[in-house]
Amino acid sequence: RVRGANFRAASAVVFDGSRYPTTFISTAELRASIPAEALGVPRPVAVLVETPGAPAAGPLTFTVTEPLPSLSA
């Protein structure tokens, strides 16, 4: 989920340099589908929003972290 302002239906989330399928929720919210392989290595990544005809919004830094250990029975 990306929150901001002035998003449009054509806006797209760019995560670590790659555009991903983006769902327009409202002018203040977008949702992007980031595949697991893009999240596999802990690191800071740049996230920005591209909207045709407008300057890119961002980038902001998103930190990918190690997954928490879990137990299953």
Side-chain angles (χ1 to χ4, degrees), residues 3 14 16 26 30 38:
R3 292 186 178 158
V14 178
D16 200 25
S26 71
L30 300 172

Side-chain angles (χ1 to χ4, degrees), residues 1-51:
R1 181 180 309 178
V2 176
R3 292 186 178 158
N6 302 315
F7 296 144
R8 297 185 215 147
S11 297
V13 173
V14 178
F15 183 88
D16 200 25
S18 297
R19 288 175 70 117
Y20 288 100
T22 302
T23 302
F24 175 79
I25 304 300
S26 71
T27 58
E29 183 178 335
L30 300 172
R31 291 193 186 154
S33 298
I34 310 299
E37 53 270 9
L39 303 171
V41 177
R43 70 200 186 285
V45 297
V47 178
L48 58 97
V49 173
E50 292 180 340
T51 301

